[in-house]
Amino acid sequence: SALVAALVAAAFSLATRPAHDTTNAIKKNGSSSSSSSSPTDSDGRGMPLKTKAVLSCLFMIGVLLHENFQVWVVSATYPASHEPPYPEALQDNGRIVMRKLAEMASLQRRDVQALRDAFNVQWALVSAAIAGGLVGCELKLGRASHRSMWAVGMRALLTLGIARFVRTVSFLLTVLPSQMPSCYRSHYPYPVPDTWSEWIMVGSKPAARGGCNDLIISGHATVTSVLACVGVSVADNALFSVAVWSLLAFDYLVEVYQGYHYSVDMWMGAVLTSLIFRSLASVEPQVVHGEENNYLPMSSNSLRDVILYVAPALLAFVIITVSREA
């Protein structure tokens, strides 16, 4: 599936190469006409949307790197979780209710996980946000015709970056005991390193399996909520919105039932992310209705074009399939 996704991304990139050359047009005419400028080139506020989208991506990456280090710090500075007797987990009423419901339905843990796998919520959200949302904006399909892919992407990246920063501050302020008693020993070195260089080395390693005490506001919930917000906002359809958020609620309930997060973490992650996304509506300028993108035919792709567009997708595929930490 990863290879298919990489090939689809590469094919879409090659199929949507813009036909216009704004640089040559400026040189030829001496100036660019405001009526022919593409919304992906500028949002009317002095900075190109592509530049803003790239800066938003860098902002999010910086936040995630900082969060990754603090996930280690919050566990390393919570000595009660390092050796028995481990602190007891807090009472989670949401988890109690979910386990009672599963018991009433005669569902075992593996049955619940099988249901989650069958719905495949994560990939459904990726399809709704990426295929249905961003691609729809780029191709000017239906209700997405007045939205810009770069603007929607910028808004989503800013939302995720802000949400993850709030999450980092939150779990640093108040440390919650993990629902998995021996979590620290299975994730981090024991005893705790006593030199700064070792701390930096451990904190720089991607926390692919998650942390232990970074529980206030779920990182999982922030990512899936952003994807849901993108898909729902672009579709602008009540029935579709109900379907997406119902899938998301089911995914969160399973996460709570399995004990990976407290129910309040999932709740706060979804609410916080949705509110941030809504509050950032003003950063997304609308595209002039009726403006269409012109694309070069696939037959015009040179070998250089194929390499430039296919290489990043294949590199991403190699990283995902080869790296254990991806």
Side-chain angles (χ1 to χ4, degrees):
S1 60
L3 178 59
V4 173
L7 293 176
V8 169
F12 175 76
S13 300
L14 289 170
T16 56
R17 289 193 304 129
H20 63 276
D21 188 338
T22 54
T23 304
N24 291 337
I26 293 173
K27 290 180 179 178
K28 182 177 180 180
N29 301 326
S31 62
S32 60
S33 171
S34 59
S35 61
S36 63
S37 62
S38 168
T40 59
D41 294 329
S42 175
D43 66 350
R45 301 177 190 177
M47 182 180 291
L49 277 177
K50 289 184 179 181
T51 302
K52 283 190 172 184
V54 171
L55 291 176
S56 300
C57 184
L58 294 176
F59 164 70
M60 184 198 69
I61 292 173
V63 170
L64 291 179
L65 290 174
H66 173 255
E67 177 197 274
N68 188 81
F69 183 78
Q70 298 301 342
V71 164
W72 145 246
V73 170
V74 73
S75 294
T77 56
Y78 185 41
S81 66
H82 297 176
E83 55 186 24
Y86 299 113
E88 291 187 9
L90 302 180
Q91 177 176 316
D92 188 347
N93 292 333
R95 187 182 187 188
I96 292 173
V97 170
M98 287 305 302
R99 290 198 163 185
K100 287 291 184 182
L101 291 175
E103 184 179 339
M104 291 171 59
S106 300
L107 293 174
Q108 301 295 324
R109 186 184 178 94
R110 63 177 179 276
D111 300 323
V112 176
Q113 183 60 46
L115 281 173
R116 188 183 194 184
D117 294 339
F119 281 105
N120 205 356
V121 178
Q122 282 78 14
W123 277 109
L125 289 172
V126 169
S127 299
I130 306 301
L134 298 183
V135 174
C137 293
E138 180 67 9
L139 299 180
K140 307 300 180 190
L141 300 177
R143 296 181 180 179
S145 61
H146 67 286
R147 307 284 289 276
S148 163
M149 180 183 71
W150 293 98
V152 174
M154 173 184 67
R155 182 179 173 187
L157 291 170
L158 284 174
T159 298
L160 186 59
I162 294 172
R164 299 299 283 251
F165 178 77
V166 174
R167 158 179 149 80
T168 303
V169 173
S170 298
F171 69 66
L172 285 175
L173 288 175
T174 302
V175 183
L176 298 185
S178 175
Q179 291 176 304
M180 294 176 283
S182 58
C183 179
Y184 181 88
R185 293 283 189 103
S186 63
H187 284 69
Y188 300 114
Y190 181 82
V192 178
D194 54 7
T195 65
W196 279 108
S197 60
E198 291 178 294
W199 273 64
I200 293 173
M201 287 294 294
V202 176
S204 299
K205 184 179 180 181
R209 297 183 299 147
C212 293
N213 304 103
D214 55 317
L215 296 171
I216 299 183
I217 303 177
S218 163
H220 171 83
T222 60
V223 174
T224 51
S225 294
V226 164
L227 293 174
C229 286
V230 170
V232 166
S233 69
V234 172
D236 194 22
N237 179 278
L239 189 59
F240 180 76
S241 299
V242 171
V244 169
W245 286 110
S246 296
L247 275 177
L248 206 59
F250 170 76
D251 186 61
Y252 291 172
L253 291 175
V254 174
E255 191 88 359
V256 169
Y257 167 80
Q258 293 177 330
Y260 295 126
H261 263 287
Y262 290 105
S263 52
V264 67
D265 306 330
M266 310 305 292
W267 165 253
M268 290 303 298
V271 171
L272 174 69
T273 305
S274 300
L275 290 176
I276 293 174
F277 186 85
R278 188 173 184 84
S279 69
L280 290 176
S282 60
V283 307
E284 183 189 337
Q286 288 193 345
V287 177
V288 177
H289 186 70
E291 213 169 33
E292 301 293 338
N293 283 337
N294 295 316
Y295 302 115
L296 293 170
M298 288 285 283
S299 58
S300 68
N301 290 318
S302 64
L303 178 60
R304 177 178 177 274
D305 295 325
V306 173
I307 294 174
L308 287 177
Y309 284 91
V310 174
L314 292 182
L315 178 61
F317 165 73
V318 171
I319 293 174
I320 292 174
T321 54
V322 174
S323 174
R324 295 181 179 180
E325 300 297 337

